[in-house]
Amino acid sequence: MDHLIDEEHRYLMNTYIRQPLVIHKGRGTRVYDPDGKEYLDFVGGVAVNNLGHCHPSVTVAFQKQAQRLVHVSNLYYTEPQVRLARLLVEHSFADKVFFCNSGTEAIEAAIKLARKYSHDRHGPDRHEIITMERSFHGRTLGAVSATAQAKFHKGFEPLLPGFRHVPFNDLSAVSEAVSKRTAAILVEPAQGEGGVQIPDEDYLPGLRKLCDEKGLLLILDEIQTGIGRTGRLFGYEHYGIEPDVMTLAKGLGSGLPIGALLAKNAVAQAFGPGSHAATFGGNPLVCSAAIATLEVMLEEDFVLDNCRRMGAYLVERLKWLQQRHPCIVSVRGLGLLVGMELSIDGKPIVQDCLEAGLLINCTMDRVLRFVPPLIILKEEIDLLIDRLDLILKKRAA
Ligand SMILES: Cc1ncc(COP(=O)(O)O)c(C=O)c1O
């Protein structure tokens, strides 16, 4: 294990702060190191392994596809890509889909689509996109520029122009920021990387209303909240509204790299042949995994239902912990996107959890984030709570 870690330091660029753990195998809600030590996974590939590790339906689907056809380029038609697009359209607000390979790429595509749509309708001056403080949209330059967190900008300036940043969950701030240059509003239905921030119930409906009044596009970044994470297939379903454009990635391919941009017809038609492309986008292999993922989620009521029930249970149990530990400031969640904010640095707790056989993650320095597979069980949540209780007790002593 140490040998592998040494070699990683030698051969890979130093872009990640990794936990000192080599993961060799995964099944359901558990992963294993090369010696067979088991870890209960509340990270889930950072909200990717929504059906758990190596779900048999997904594994069999892409094994079969790998034997038939892996890649042919978008110069040709392939059945899995069309089937996946149809599934997404039939189960969302959207009429059309564009496939790419990651979340950040889906955001780039959304920025380009919004600009092109607005350019075609209103000319080049109306191109600005309003985004939210503490947002996270990805690491390519357009997505970094959209992301309103200075720490992701530092050293990479000049950023892409054309973004205005306003506080999250503040309707009047967005309203005041709208000008004759505004083309769109880009927002996560609940912020994940930004410390698990759940907006007020009237926030998304308020944004929808504002967009309708001012003729703006509402773009939802559902890269983290989509594919069942919040207990509905898409986060917007909680709020009784529909966006004009939506980005997906993470859970869509159960770990195979895929991103998607979804839009209503009126907006999607702004892209024509040659407007946008991705060599690997929507290739048969990744699409076969995504089709299997969606089919399991749509056909087995258990997954979304379990996500809602276990999400509520996890929040309830973390609130119980909050009463016992003064360092816990607040607990918040939507489905199984759950955060626990501390008054102390969260990193040592993540480390203690690892030693105790639990994978958890920390965002914004003090927010412990729990995004387990949606198939997590009550007993597994109880195990997390028991171990966290001990860890926090020891830290306070
Ligand atoms: C809301 C949101 N948008 C975009 C991204 C970027 O996705 P990717 O890492 O696949 O580029 C992330 C990743 O964490 C995300 O949570």
Side-chain angles (χ1 to χ4, degrees):
M1 217 143 85
D2 288 350
H3 173 64
L4 197 82
I5 292 173
D6 288 345
E7 293 222 334
E8 194 272 356
H9 292 166
R10 179 154 177 208
Y11 294 117
L12 279 123
M13 288 200 198
N14 185 21
T15 59
Y16 298 108
I17 302 168
R18 298 185 204 262
Q19 296 293 303
L21 168 68
V22 175
I23 299 178
H24 176 68
K25 190 176 116 177
R27 281 289 176 283
T29 55
R30 319 278 167 133
V31 295
Y32 302 85
D33 76 7
D35 299 326
K37 182 173 174 194
E38 184 179 270
Y39 295 82
L40 187 50
D41 187 2
F42 280 85
V43 175
V46 192
V48 166
N49 303 111
N50 292 3
L51 297 180
H53 294 274
C54 299
H55 189 286
S57 304
V58 179
T59 304
V60 166
F62 73 72
Q63 273 175 343
K64 276 193 182 160
Q65 187 59 48
Q67 284 166 352
R68 192 158 49 233
L69 184 71
V70 172
H71 179 81
V72 288
S73 107
N74 284 306
L75 295 173
Y76 310 98
Y77 297 91
T78 54
E79 195 203 339
Q81 186 177 121
V82 178
R83 270 183 64 204
L84 177 58
R86 183 174 163 178
L87 257 182
L88 286 168
V89 164
E90 284 176 352
H91 292 93
S92 75
F93 73 97
D95 301 310
K96 289 271 163 44
V97 185
F98 172 84
F99 289 115
C100 51
N101 313 291
S102 65
T104 201
E105 255 189 273
I107 292 291
E108 297 295 332
I111 295 168
K112 280 181 73 176
L113 182 66
R115 282 191 175 189
K116 181 71 168 44
Y117 173 81
S118 195
H119 190 282
D120 292 351
R121 293 213 154 188
H122 311 288
D125 289 341
R126 192 160 154 182
H127 63 267
E128 242 174 40
I129 300 178
I130 298 176
T131 70
M132 309 306 155
E133 287 171 13
R134 288 173 159 247
S135 57
F136 184 79
H137 299 296
R139 302 297 198 133
T140 48
L141 265 179
V144 161
S145 308
T147 295
Q149 292 197 56
K151 68 181 182 205
F152 295 115
H153 297 168
K154 213 165 163 261
F156 298 112
E157 300 88 350
L159 301 178
L160 188 73
F163 294 96
R164 282 197 73 170
H165 304 315
V166 300
F168 182 62
N169 200 22
D170 183 342
L171 281 173
S172 49
V174 191
S175 211
E176 280 162 30
V178 172
S179 73
K180 60 181 188 328
R181 304 174 74 82
T182 312
I185 295 173
L186 166 62
V187 64
E188 298 153 80
Q191 293 184 332
E193 302 296 315
V196 187
Q197 309 290 341
I198 318 296
D200 297 338
E201 296 225 326
D202 64 349
Y203 183 59
L204 285 191
L207 292 180
R208 179 67 275 174
K209 189 160 169 274
L210 183 65
C211 287
D212 291 342
E213 284 166 5
K214 305 280 182 186
L216 314 175
L217 295 178
L218 180 62
I219 308 173
L220 291 185
D221 178 346
E222 293 248 17
I223 288 164
Q224 189 152 158
T225 51
I227 318 298
R229 173 57 48 195
T230 67
R232 308 243 173 236
L233 192 57
F234 305 112
Y236 69 79
E237 294 173 31
H238 291 279
Y239 300 100
I241 57 122
E242 288 185 345
D244 303 297
V245 176
M246 172 169 80
T247 54
L248 297 174
K250 286 198 182 274
L252 181 56
S254 282
L256 269 79
I258 182 167
L261 172 70
L262 284 76
K264 300 247 200 211
N265 263 332
V267 186
Q269 52 75 34
F271 272 175
S275 300
H276 200 52
T279 295
F280 296 125
N283 86 16
L285 188 70
V286 295
C287 286
S288 68
I291 291 167
T293 303
L294 283 175
E295 282 178 349
V296 170
M297 217 166 264
L298 293 166
E299 282 162 22
E300 295 176 20
D301 291 343
F302 167 77
V303 182
L304 292 182
D305 185 52
N306 189 65
C307 173
R308 289 191 287 270
R309 284 187 299 108
M310 289 306 109
Y313 184 64
L314 177 55
V315 166
E316 178 193 319
R317 294 299 326 266
L318 290 172
K319 284 191 169 158
W320 175 82
L321 268 189
Q322 185 182 6
Q323 285 165 1
R324 298 164 59 81
H325 301 281
C327 69
I328 301 176
V329 176
S330 72
V331 175
R332 40 192 188 249
L334 190 61
L336 278 166
L337 172 58
V338 176
M340 180 165 87
E341 185 163 347
L342 306 175
S343 58
I344 54 170
D345 185 5
K347 282 189 283 303
I349 312 290
V350 172
Q351 190 61 45
D352 291 348
C353 282
L354 184 72
E355 280 158 30
L358 295 169
L359 303 190
I360 65 163
N361 158 260
C362 177
T363 64
M364 304 301 279
D365 300 327
R366 290 169 185 234
V367 182
L368 300 183
R369 177 175 43 171
F370 307 92
V371 277
L374 310 183
I375 54 168
I376 196 93
L377 300 174
K378 209 168 172 218
E379 302 79 79
E380 294 173 321
I381 291 175
D382 289 337
L383 213 134
L384 166 84
I385 299 295
D386 290 348
R387 292 185 191 171
L388 263 179
D389 190 29
L390 279 178
I391 287 166
L392 292 171
K393 225 182 263 166
K394 266 195 208 147
R395 284 268 158 201

